[in-house]
Amino acid sequence: MENYTSDSSDSDGNGNKILDFAYLLLDTAKVEEHLDEASKDIGKVEDVESIILHHNQLTTLPRNFAKFANVQVLDISNNGLKVLPDVFGNWNLTTLIAKNNCLTNESLPKCFSVCASLRELNLSGNRFEFFPEQLFDFASLRYLYLGGNKIRSVPKQIWKLSCLQILSMGGNQLQEVPSTLGQLKQLHALVLCDNIIESLPSNIANLNNLKSLLLHKNKLRTLPPEIVALKNLSELSLRENPLVVRFVSNIRHHTPSLKELSARVIKLHQIAVHPGDIPGTLMGYLECAHRCVNSNCKGVFFNNRVEHVKFVDFCGKYRIPLLQYLCSAKCVTEEDEDLRPPRPYMMKKVLLG
């Protein structure tokens, strides 16, 4: 491992040098001093590829950043930044992490320098009220994180970010998403949780590579039926939406009567009962027992049962909700997880609550 004269310098496993000043609570002036000291070594300036400055007290970016001409990764998260200058004018960044600052739409320049190398941009946890349209110039962007802001809508031009694999916009104030979202064919994960979305466009079914769709804590009352066409979808989170809350809230469980409990014991332990041993009405009652559908349970139920929402295979391909009856709340488990056929295209996780 190559060492700098600064104790805050390091290198990754590939020998790429890193300037790491994280968690030092440095203000802008102090960071500039550290960077000046690090730049005294001529070879070091050219070799630095990552500058890590998260969890400090920066209000502006250091003016001597430009000394390090080959920086690819810049982490300035968890500071007090109120302005983000055009850092792409100095570097061909691949990753810019500026989450948890005080950035607003006015904090950004009207346009950024063209940066074809940018792959990941994280602006989560700031104060944006509108989707920063300057980002549409980053055509090669693959991972975009804008969660935890106050963004009210997604522009129709979202299709311009055609290389996106992850779009995270949870924790905003979105009421809807545009149909052009369905043109992001490379998308693997779409995070829209913690918004106020009431419906989704039907062409979301065009996201053929989508594996994770997080929609919990919204105002969804329906889902487009086309969603079943997402054959690669393995995770769908729906909890705390009206379509789930209304469905699950109707599920009730009442304490079994003494009559039912006695009849269950007789059936479970296969106690022999002959005509004349008990009244005829009770003999008929014993004959109407229902077997618990949990394959790991040998119990039965009569009038009292636990209603449980289970997502089952449909036509060997889709997962649909089915209301099933169990003898006890203890039977509400995920015991059927290992009974699913090992098909890679089957939805494996549906989170309702």
Side-chain angles (χ1 to χ4, degrees), residues 1 6 23 53 72 91 105 121 141 147 153 157 172 180 204 211 281 286 299 306 312 323 331-332 335 344:
M1 177 182 294
S6 169
Y23 295 103
L53 293 171
Q72 297 179 15
W91 300 318
N105 289 89
L121 178 59
L141 199 61
S153 63
Q157 301 96 309
N172 280 287
T180 50
I204 196 172
K211 297 179 181 179
T281 54
L286 289 173
V306 172
V312 300
L323 184 63
C331 292
V332 182
E335 84 291 339

Side-chain angles (χ1 to χ4, degrees), residues 4-6 8-9 18-21 26-41 44-45 48 50-53 58 60-68 71 74 76 91:
Y4 290 157
T5 54
S6 169
S8 298
S9 303
I18 302 171
L19 285 180
D20 189 348
F21 302 117
L26 303 175
D27 60 20
T28 302
K30 288 293 185 182
V31 170
E32 288 179 350
E33 291 178 9
H34 281 68
L35 293 175
D36 280 337
E37 184 175 346
S39 65
K40 292 177 182 179
D41 185 338
K44 190 183 307 179
V45 173
V48 171
S50 299
I51 298 180
I52 311 299
L53 293 171
L58 300 177
T60 59
L61 292 186
R63 292 169 294 181
N64 53 356
F65 260 162
K67 293 182 178 182
F68 305 91
V71 172
L74 176 61
I76 49 176
W91 300 318

